[in-house]
């Protein structure tokens, strides 16, 4: 946006508020009211059908020593690191493939993004059937190529890597699309100059492509991180947080507190902590992007 | 002599090109095969009878294919009701979001209301569950259980930010000159919006509509908390199939396929718009 635009915008700004009003009212009702009410609730002891009492920061103090919650935080981080690194790495590779022209490219690209568009519950159910240790097709494939069968989501050690595998299958396409958008906007000149200087394809990728699409890679990484922290449908359907509590992430813990145990006040405190973690992570990554730009 | 050397070099280069083309083709195949194999297996499960689905080693090709599973989905469950519920909720939430979000996107883009844009951005970041505790209590207090309205209203949490976000991008990209000429000629801002900006932004509205609809259709978390027996949306209904019947994979796969088929078709038909919207906004609901 140019400076002239900014000035003009400011002069007219007050004439545009009627356009914002209807949406503003709805956003206030379904988005901002819940935020504030959650903050308020988190300072109270409230079980559905029970008493409602102000208890200050007791819910937060209790959280800090609730081992089940603290484990769920660690588990969330473990899941998130894997579910960011794999899709981002694969997504960048996929973007360089789909950036080249080839026959039926747009059809191939559409097929590639189907996993992220499909209804998560529906695909989670089908994956669950494939993970079945005795009857599932995945163990059949493993044993028929001579590998040992796995317990997949039915074992407390393999459940998180298994969920990460599905998450990667599902969300690599989003990273690919964002990075592909970056590749499409690249100028041709630096490549021509580099080619004249005798640079190899890898050199060009390393020293021209990566720095130029870096902002897109950061955006993709931030979005992926937020989505991985928030992952719910897949975990809820495939493992329900189990076996035991071995895949109970923060979001699952929150769901159980709120809608299985009906500890609304406590769950509200979990929400606030969860929200702060998400916000911190996104800010951290955006500042990493700024520093990269200054260098 | 020179001729034959040249052709040898050309041949070598051609062979190198062929090898790299094959390598590239394999890379494309490796990328898309997990998606293809998954959906083929889903289709295979839905077209086999129970004996074949429980067989080990698995039966890969359903022969003869049977539609019994699809019939069972409609006979044993109230699938038609759930389909109508989903249609009502997703069309309602998308339509309302367009009515509210297109003018809001225009207003934010023109007035450069970056604070309003930030609220939308934070709404995108917030976990869906965190809206549910207050709204769940509110709907209980208002005694709105048993109707579809609570679900439709919570779906606005997904659809409004998507529409506003996509539309800000589109209205910022439009040339200002036409609108300004209209304002100078005495149009009101409303007329400039209605007769100039909206027709120009029609492709953006299509993108916003498709994405809002898909993410509303796919949403599970709001329905699973708020829906009663009669007000389930399709994803919730499919999830409930597993809790009621032990393991019957055929009907389950058939139900899963029915739920996701509209979205898959929409993706195949409108891939250009969807890719554009996702690349620009990186939006995802819930």
């Amino acid at each position: 946006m140019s400076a002239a635009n900014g000035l003009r915008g400011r002069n007219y700004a007050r004439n545009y508020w009627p356009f914002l009003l209807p949406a503003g009212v709805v956003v206030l009702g379904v988005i901002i009211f819940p935020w504030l009410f959650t903050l308020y609730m988190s300072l109270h002891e409230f079980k559905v059908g029970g008493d409602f009492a102000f208890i200050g920061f007791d819910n937060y103090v209790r959280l800090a020593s609730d081992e089940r919650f603290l484990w769920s935080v660690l588990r969330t981080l473990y899941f998130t690191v894997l579910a960011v690194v794999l899709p981002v790495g694969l997504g960048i590779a996929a973007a360089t493939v789909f950036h080249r022209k080839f026959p039926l490219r747009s059809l191939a690209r559409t097929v590639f993004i189907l996993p992220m568009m499909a209804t998560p519950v529906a695909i989670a159910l089908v994956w669950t059937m494939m993970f079945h240790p005795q009857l599932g097709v995945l163990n059949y494939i493993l044993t028929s190529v001579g590998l040992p069968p796995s317990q997949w989501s039915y074992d407390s050690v393999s459940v998180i890597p298994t969920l990460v595998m599905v998450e990667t299958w599902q969300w690599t396409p989003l990273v690919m699309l964002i990075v592909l958008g970056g590749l499409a906007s690249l100028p041709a000149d630096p490549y021509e100059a580099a080619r004249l200087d005798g640079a190899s394809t890898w050199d060009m990728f390393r020293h021209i492509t990566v720095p130029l699409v870096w902002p897109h890679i950061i955006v993709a990484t931030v979005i992926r991180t937020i989505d991985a922290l928030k992952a719910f449908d897949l975990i809820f359907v495939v493992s329900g947080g189990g076996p035991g509590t071995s895949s109970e992430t923060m979001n699952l813990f929150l769901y159980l507190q709120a809608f299985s145990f009906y500890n609304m006040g406590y769950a509200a405190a979990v929400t606030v902590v969860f929200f702060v973690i998400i916000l911190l992570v996104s800010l951290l990554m955006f500042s990493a992007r700024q520093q990269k730009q200054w260098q | 002599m020179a001729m034959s050397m040249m052709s040898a070099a050309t041949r070598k280069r051609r062979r190198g090109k062929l090898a790299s083309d094959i390598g590239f083709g394999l890379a494309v195949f490796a990328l898309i095969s997990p998606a293809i194999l998954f959906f083929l297996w889903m289709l295979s499960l839905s077209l086999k009878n129970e004996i074949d689905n429980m067989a080990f080693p698995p039966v890969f090709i359903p022969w003869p294919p049977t539609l019994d599973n699809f019939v069972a989905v409609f006979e044993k469950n109230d699938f038609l009701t759930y389909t109508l519920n989903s249609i009502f909720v997703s069309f309602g939430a998308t339509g309302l979001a367009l009515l509210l979000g297109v003018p809001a996107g225009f207003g934010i883009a023109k007035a450069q209301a970056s604070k309003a844009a930030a609220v939308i951005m934070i709404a995108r970041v917030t976990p869906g569950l965190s809206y549910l505790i207050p709204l769940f209590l509110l709907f209980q207090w208002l005694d709105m259980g048993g109707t579809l309205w609570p679900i439709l209203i919570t779906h606005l949490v997904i659809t409004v930010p998507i529409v506003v976000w996509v539309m800000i991008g589109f209205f910022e990209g439009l040339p200002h000159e036409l609108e300004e000429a209209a304002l100078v000629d005495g149009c009101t801002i409303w007329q400039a919006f209605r007769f100039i900006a909206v027709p120009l932004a029609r492709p953006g509205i299509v993108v916003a509509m498709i994405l809002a609809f898909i993410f509303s259709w796919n949403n599970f978390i709001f329905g699973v908390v708020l829906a009663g027996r009669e007000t389930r949306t399709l994803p919730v209904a499919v999830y409930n199939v597993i809790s009621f019947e032990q393991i019957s994979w055929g009907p389950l796969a058939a139900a899963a396929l029915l739920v996701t088929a509209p979205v898959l078709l929409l993706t195949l038909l409108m891939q250009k718009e969807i890719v554009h919207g996702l690349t620009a906004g990186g939006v995802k609901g819930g």
Side-chain angles (χ1 to χ4, degrees):
Chain A
M1 280 286 148
S2 67
N5 262 335
L7 277 177
R8 199 167 46 212
R10 208 159 297 146
N11 285 338
Y12 276 106
R14 70 191 118 98
N15 299 329
Y16 287 105
W17 71 265
F19 288 92
L20 289 167
L21 190 66
V25 170
V26 169
V27 167
L28 210 63
V30 299
I31 294 178
I32 298 190
F33 155 74
W35 286 347
L36 298 178
F37 194 72
T38 303
L39 263 180
Y40 172 77
M41 286 280 297
S42 73
L43 304 176
H44 291 78
E45 164 84 54
F46 179 52
K47 225 176 145 90
V48 170
D51 295 336
F52 187 79
F54 180 77
I55 53 165
F57 289 96
D58 281 10
N59 280 328
Y60 293 94
V61 175
R62 204 177 123 201
L63 265 185
S65 58
D66 185 339
E67 271 190 34
R68 188 165 174 180
F69 172 71
L70 296 175
W71 274 111
S72 81
V73 176
L74 282 182
R75 233 173 261 128
T76 309
L77 294 179
Y78 171 45
F79 173 82
T80 301
V81 168
L82 289 177
V84 170
V85 171
L86 292 174
V88 169
L90 281 171
I92 294 170
T96 59
V97 168
F98 283 107
H99 186 53
R100 249 175 77 169
K101 282 202 165 56
F102 58 88
L104 297 178
R105 179 173 69 161
S106 73
L107 180 66
R109 193 183 57 187
T110 309
V111 170
F112 187 67
I113 68 169
L114 283 181
M116 69 172 279
M117 304 312 293
T119 310
V121 173
I123 58 177
L125 286 172
V126 175
W127 277 108
T128 312
M129 295 184 237
M130 293 165 63
F131 292 142
H132 195 283
Q134 281 83 46
L135 303 171
V137 69
L138 289 181
N139 270 353
Y140 173 74
I141 293 170
L142 281 187
T143 47
S144 57
V145 296
L147 290 167
S150 167
Q151 292 293 307
W152 304 104
S153 56
Y154 295 83
D155 173 79
S156 58
V157 176
S158 59
V159 61
I160 288 190
T162 299
L163 292 168
V164 167
M165 181 182 88
V166 181
E167 185 87 358
T168 304
W169 173 81
Q170 208 180 345
W171 291 111
T172 296
L174 184 64
V175 178
M176 184 279 283
L177 283 181
I178 295 170
V179 177
L180 191 64
L183 289 173
S185 62
L186 290 186
D189 323 3
Y191 290 94
E192 275 153 26
R195 204 167 291 128
L196 286 178
D197 289 345
S200 71
T201 315
W202 171 251
D203 284 339
M204 288 193 279
F205 178 75
R206 174 75 192 74
H207 295 291
I208 305 176
T209 312
V210 171
L212 284 175
V213 296
W214 191 251
H216 289 83
I217 294 175
I218 293 292
V219 167
T221 308
V222 172
I223 289 176
R224 192 76 276 288
T225 307
I226 293 165
D227 288 345
L229 287 170
K230 298 200 303 187
F232 182 82
D233 295 6
L234 175 69
I235 305 176
F236 187 80
V237 173
V238 171
S239 72
T245 56
S246 55
S247 60
E248 189 177 290
T249 57
M250 256 191 288
N251 221 356
L252 269 286
F253 179 81
L254 170 58
Y255 177 86
L256 289 177
Q257 289 298 334
F259 301 110
S260 292
F261 311 146
Y262 291 109
N263 291 324
M264 290 297 182
Y266 195 51
V270 177
T271 309
V272 174
V273 173
F274 191 12
F275 181 71
V276 169
I277 291 177
I278 288 184
L279 217 57
L280 279 180
V281 170
S282 356
L283 286 177
L284 217 78
M285 293 184 126
F286 271 113
S287 72
R289 174 192 174 181
Q290 294 296 330
Q291 274 168 13
K292 184 79 186 176
Q293 280 178 337
W294 289 330
Q295 274 164 12
Chain B
M1 180 75 184
M3 282 283 282
S4 74
M5 263 175 74
M6 275 250 286
S7 71
T10 323
R11 222 178 303 142
K12 202 172 166 191
R13 211 179 309 131
R14 277 214 189 115
R15 213 176 301 144
K17 171 114 173 46
L18 187 69
S20 95
D21 278 353
I22 291 174
F24 185 76
L26 285 176
V28 172
F29 182 73
L31 282 175
I32 61 175
S33 55
I36 294 178
L37 292 175
F38 176 87
F39 288 109
L40 282 181
W41 184 241
M42 192 174 181
L43 189 68
S44 161
L45 284 170
S46 71
L47 294 175
K48 282 183 298 201
N49 59 44
E50 218 40 41
I51 299 160
D52 281 354
N53 270 334
M54 289 291 124
F56 198 87
V59 177
F60 283 91
I61 295 163
W63 198 259
T66 165
L67 289 175
D68 290 354
N69 296 323
F70 291 92
V71 176
V73 167
F74 282 96
E75 272 180 356
K76 285 189 190 157
N77 305 278
D78 218 348
F79 222 71
L80 203 63
T81 312
Y82 304 140
T83 308
L84 292 175
N85 289 349
S86 259
I87 289 174
F88 174 78
V89 166
S90 295
F91 275 88
T94 306
L96 273 174
L98 286 176
L99 281 178
L100 299 162
V102 173
F106 177 76
I108 291 175
K110 295 292 149 181
Q112 300 186 1
S114 54
K115 283 198 193 97
V119 170
I120 298 295
M121 186 66 189
I122 298 174
R124 161 71 180 72
V125 170
T126 315
L129 263 179
S130 60
Y131 299 105
L132 270 170
I133 297 170
L135 292 175
F136 175 79
L137 294 174
L138 182 72
F139 292 133
Q140 258 196 350
W141 182 64
L142 293 172
D143 203 16
M144 281 165 85
T147 71
L148 284 167
W149 289 105
I151 302 175
L152 195 157
I153 291 167
T154 46
H155 275 230
L156 292 176
V157 172
I158 310 159
T159 55
V160 170
I162 289 178
V163 172
V164 174
W165 202 247
V166 171
M167 292 320 295
I168 293 175
F170 259 87
F171 284 122
E172 273 179 348
L174 287 184
H176 299 273
E177 288 78 8
L178 278 173
E179 263 164 71
E180 257 140 45
L183 290 178
V184 170
D185 287 347
C187 269
T188 62
I189 292 183
W190 170 255
Q191 286 167 328
F193 167 71
R194 172 72 190 79
F195 297 108
I196 294 165
V198 167
L200 284 174
R202 194 163 290 155
I205 297 175
V206 173
V207 169
M209 183 174 71
I210 297 169
L211 289 180
F213 179 81
I214 290 179
F215 287 116
S216 165
W217 184 269
N218 283 350
N219 183 278
F220 172 64
I221 204 165
F222 294 140
V224 81
V225 172
L226 296 171
R229 207 173 153 50
E230 299 294 309
T231 56
R232 282 177 195 146
T233 54
L234 281 175
V236 182
V238 169
Y239 175 72
N240 278 296
V241 173
I242 39 173
S243 13
F244 285 114
E245 294 164 57
Q246 279 296 306
I247 321 175
S248 53
W249 286 5
L252 190 50
L257 196 62
L258 285 173
V259 171
T260 198
V263 172
L264 298 183
L265 278 179
L266 204 58
T267 308
L268 289 171
L269 293 176
M270 310 294 273
Q271 57 101 7
K272 215 180 85 197
E273 284 78 7
I274 289 174
V275 167
H276 182 98
L278 291 169
T279 316
V283 280
K284 182 199 157 207

